[in-house]
Every structure is written in structure tokens, then in C-alpha cells.
Amino acid sequence: MTLWVEVMSQKHPEQNGTCTAVPAAGRGTQPCSHVLRLHLNKKATDKQPYSKLPGVSLLKPLKGVDPNLINNLETFFELDYPKYEVLLCVQDHDDPAIDVCKKLLGKYPNVDARLFIVLPDTLTDMVNQMTEKVGLVHGLPYVADRMGFAATLEQVYFGTSHPRSYISAHVTGFKCVTGMSCLMRKDVLDQAGGLIAFAQYIAEDYFMAKAIADRGWRFAMSTQVAMQNSGSYSISQFQSRMIRWTKLRINMLPATIICEPISECFVASLIIGWAAHHVFRWDIMVFFMCHCLAWFIFDYIQLRGVQGGTLCFSKLDYAVAWFIRESMTIYIFLSALWDPTISWRTGRYRLRCGGTAEEILDV
């Protein structure tokens, strides 16, 4: 179960994030102050085991930088709680609060925290897509412009391979929804048991979408991408993320074992080249090189389309990142098959058939 808590971002500048109690005039002030003191100093009793506490999502809307913003935000990264996430939201790519958020994301890499840049009309666009027969509106995941080769690698993946399969699945009616940016009908989720019914899944977004589709509702895609802007990123983190996602897909959709490898560029080019050699007597390697070159060019065109403007890296950077990403696919797939357990933040989970997960506790 996940609890959603919205934390207001604006505080009075003179209070420095504290709450001031103003006593009422008259004799009732003294008894009230004693009651308040007893309440505030009372030690809380644990009503349930620490490890069984529900997950909590802290929604933090931000605009601009207040004098104590970084100190106030840092308290959310230091909470003594077993399972929570911090969702930082800004509206403008030029908002100075982004730099503050990135500092904290880099300082606390083990905290489940993410930064979202939400355009002013994002919600309006998603609501407009929620027509009478639509039960869920989702956005295509993408990543914001960042510095470094690891950021380029992520951007190439989320602008080429991922949208190719994501959009194809959406057009053909397959359930391919990520929870990075989704608008769902609450009454439909309540019919499926509410949020608590999906707490047993790691890929709860997929099973929420499945429950909505099973009840006869359609899906729609937003005209805007769901922008990711992680402050902590590296090639190893990207690789671990891809392995984790592949494990989930194999567990939820066993057909992935066959379909996924042959949908990648190098493997598909070899298979088609072999077929062309036997049917038309064409040279396998010549066909392989030409097919990969065409794939490479069309991927670049698609990446520019998803970006919606000029890329922040050169064509050479794209070529290197594209080649490395494509070369990773077989290793990622075999690694996912070799070890079915998933490591997520500080926990390890064992996947069960059907998509459920069981936490592996150290004895």
C-alpha cells in the first residue's frame, strides 16, 4: 500500500520551516498550553512493526529558491522510515530549484527520489485525452538533457529502442504502460480493489493498466513525453535498470523470452540476412551492414522527433552511444535469465510467476 502526501513548498520566510502557535487571549490560554505541551512531547507508540509500515510517496511541488530551501528539502532525504519516495516537481526547465534538487539527488543516491519537470499544460493535455471510453492516459517516457556520456546513453535508449516498442504496443492494443506519467480513473481502480490490491507487485503500473483494460476501458497517449531528470546516473546504473526491467517482462510475459531478443537490431539483422541469403543468395554480411545502417539512420530520425528540437550531443556521441546500447542487449537479456531476483534500492525481491514479488529477508 502506498500513501500519498503532498508537502506544501511555500513557508513564511521568518518561520524557517517551523510552525508557530499563537495563544488566544484570556484564562483559557494556560490550560490549552499545558495540553499542547503534553501532546507535543508525548512519545508515539508503535502500533505496527517497523518493517510492516505502508509505503509513502512525498509529493514536493517547487517554484523558485527560498533562503532555506536546500535545508528544508534535505530533511525529506533523512527521514527514519522503511519505505518512502520523494517526488520533486517543477514547472519550468529554467527554474533555479532544479540545481538544488540535483545536488540532493547526487548527495543521497540511496533515497528513492526523482525530479519531474511538468509543463504548464501537461495535466490539461492528459485530461483532454480522457474521453468517455478512455480509462487511462499515459505518456511516453523520455529523459531531460543532461551532461555526460551516461546521460547520452540513456537519452539514446529512451529516444530510439524504447519508444519504438512502446508506441508499437500502444497502436496494436498491447498493454505497455509505465507509471512515470499516468492518469487513471479512480472509480475503476476502486472496482479492482484500490491501490492496496497492487501492493504485491513491483510493476504495479502494468497490473493497474491490465485491470483497467480487463474492464473494457481504452487507453490514450498524451501528446507530451513523461520527462525524467534523475540526478544520479551512470552506465552501470543504466545497465542494472535495463536488467531489472527485462526480468519483470520475462516474469509477466513469458513470450518475451522469444520475442525480445529477435526485436533488437543486431540479432534481427543476422536473422533477416540469413533468410535473404537462402532465398535470394545475397551476401549475409553485406545485408547485415546495410540493414544495421538503415536501422541506425531511422533511429536517429526517431530520436530527433521525440526530442522535438536540437539534441544536446553530437552525431558522433549518438553513434557511439547507439552502438554500445545495441551491443548491451544480449548481455542484459542473459543476465536477466540467469538471476531471477531483483535488487531495488536497499531491498532484494524474488519474483514469482504472474508478477508478484516476495522480499528476501536476511536471516
Side-chain angles (χ1 to χ4, degrees), residues 185-198:
R185 292 186 182 271
K186 182 178 180 298
D187 57 337
V188 180
L189 280 182
D190 289 341
Q191 294 172 14
L195 291 177
I196 188 62
F198 305 96

Side-chain angles (χ1 to χ4, degrees), residues 138-203:
H138 57 105
L140 174 68
Y142 192 53
V143 289
D145 294 341
R146 296 166 297 174
M147 300 299 295
F149 182 75
T152 301
L153 182 63
E154 277 197 353
Q155 199 160 1
V156 167
Y157 168 74
F158 280 102
T160 59
S161 177
H162 191 268
R164 183 169 57 248
S165 57
Y166 194 94
I167 296 174
S168 298
H170 174 72
V171 171
T172 55
F174 285 95
K175 293 178 287 295
C176 185
V177 174
T178 62
M180 298 175 190
S181 181
C182 278
L183 186 66
M184 307 178 186
R185 292 186 182 271
K186 182 178 180 298
D187 57 337
V188 180
L189 280 182
D190 289 341
Q191 294 172 14
L195 291 177
I196 188 62
F198 305 96
Q200 58 182 323
Y201 304 110
I202 291 183

Side-chain angles (χ1 to χ4, degrees), residues 68-124:
N68 294 314
L69 177 63
I70 190 167
N71 295 329
N72 291 338
L73 286 180
E74 193 166 15
T75 60
F76 301 130
F77 289 78
E78 298 176 339
L79 294 174
D80 181 17
Y81 197 80
K83 185 180 180 182
Y84 74 97
E85 63 178 353
V86 182
L87 307 177
L88 307 167
C89 305
V90 297
Q91 181 175 297
D92 191 349
H93 285 275
D94 299 325
D95 197 311
I98 293 177
D99 293 332
V100 175
C101 295
K102 288 183 176 180
K103 288 180 181 178
L104 293 174
L105 291 172
K107 184 177 179 180
Y108 297 92
N110 293 326
V111 176
D112 188 1
R114 284 167 287 173
L115 173 62
F116 297 91
I117 302 176
V118 183
L119 298 177
D121 60 340
T122 298
L123 183 57
T124 302

